[in-house]
Amino acid sequence: MAGHSKFKNIMHRKGAQDKKRSAMFSKLSREITVAAKMGLPEPDMNPRLRAAINAAKAQSMPKDNIQRAIDKASKGEGENYEEVRYEGFGPGGVSLIIEALTDNRNRTATNVRTAVSKNGGNLGASGSVSHGFSRLGLITYPASAGDAERLFEAALEAGADDVTSGDDGHEIWTSIEALHEVAKALTPVLGEPEGAKLAWRPGTTVSVDEAAAAQLFKLIDTLDDDDDVQQVWGNYEVSDEVMAKLG
């Protein structure tokens, strides 16, 4: 299991989805509101908003919640959030990129630094680990969308750069500029994607043992509990054997 999106990291664990549901909806609502404020409140005219709505739908967020988040932006209501990024290292020497939306940079920085330091990691300066990642577009589909060959052919035809497939689904990688055009081309063929967003893809990965993986997942859980943290990206690999031991 590779370290990609925060939801993928956390939601595989038994019982976690129900426990995190409310917090997840809050984060998704925040992203929808920010996306709607930064552009037009119409998904067809605002790629970031469309991606945020798709992500919310993929997590079964009610339509009323989605519309309220859009309305909040249209009416100029709600806090003004800014995007911040933190970089550092987790257990086992894993590189981490933590993305947040916050209305109070000091609060968020303190919370993130405390969470990382208390769980076997440390934050670094801006650019300390991101040089080992590529900033790309990421489109995700569930395994039910088709087999690896079908996804590869569809993605290639749509203009994607790479596809990785596994038991838990498919990840289609594009350039930043091509993200929404590729997603748009894939929709008639494969249906609406679970997500279409900007992502950090590691150039190389680090294999972590059971002890490091347990501590790493605890760190990610702690970060996920922070309302300001939106995404956690990492360059780790956890073997199926280690995952089985962790339960």
Side-chain angles (χ1 to χ4, degrees), residues 26-123:
S26 176
K27 294 174 192 288
L28 290 167
S29 293
R30 185 177 296 194
E31 170 61 21
I32 291 170
T33 299
V34 168
K37 279 188 176 182
M38 293 180 69
L40 295 172
E42 295 294 332
D44 291 340
M45 303 295 290
N46 185 333
R48 178 169 175 175
L49 177 59
R50 182 182 176 188
I53 291 173
N54 284 347
K57 288 180 177 178
Q59 298 300 330
S60 301
M61 185 170 171
K63 290 182 179 180
D64 288 347
N65 294 38
I66 294 173
Q67 191 58 51
R68 274 199 300 273
I70 296 173
D71 292 343
K72 190 181 290 187
S74 302
K75 297 173 183 177
E77 298 173 352
E79 298 82 356
N80 289 316
Y81 296 106
E82 60 178 319
E83 296 174 293
V84 291
R85 186 178 83 227
Y86 305 95
E87 301 180 29
F89 299 91
V94 168
S95 296
L96 296 174
I97 296 177
I98 303 160
E99 295 181 317
L101 286 174
T102 181
D103 58 350
N104 186 323
R105 289 176 70 103
N106 290 336
R107 178 194 67 224
T108 306
T110 297
N111 290 347
V112 169
R113 188 176 299 279
T114 300
V116 172
S117 63
K118 284 187 174 182
N119 290 282
N122 61 279
L123 288 185

Side-chain angles (χ1 to χ4, degrees), residues 26 28 55-56 69 73-75 107 111 114 166 173 178 182 184 210 212 220-221 228 232 237 244:
S26 176
L28 290 167
S74 302
K75 297 173 183 177
R107 178 194 67 224
N111 290 347
T114 300
W173 296 91
V182 173
K184 185 177 179 180
E210 183 180 352
I220 294 171
D221 276 336
D228 297 337
V232 180
E237 288 281 350

Side-chain angles (χ1 to χ4, degrees), residues 142-155:
S144 59
D147 60 27
E149 184 176 353
R150 182 189 183 214
L151 267 288
F152 181 81
E153 291 177 355

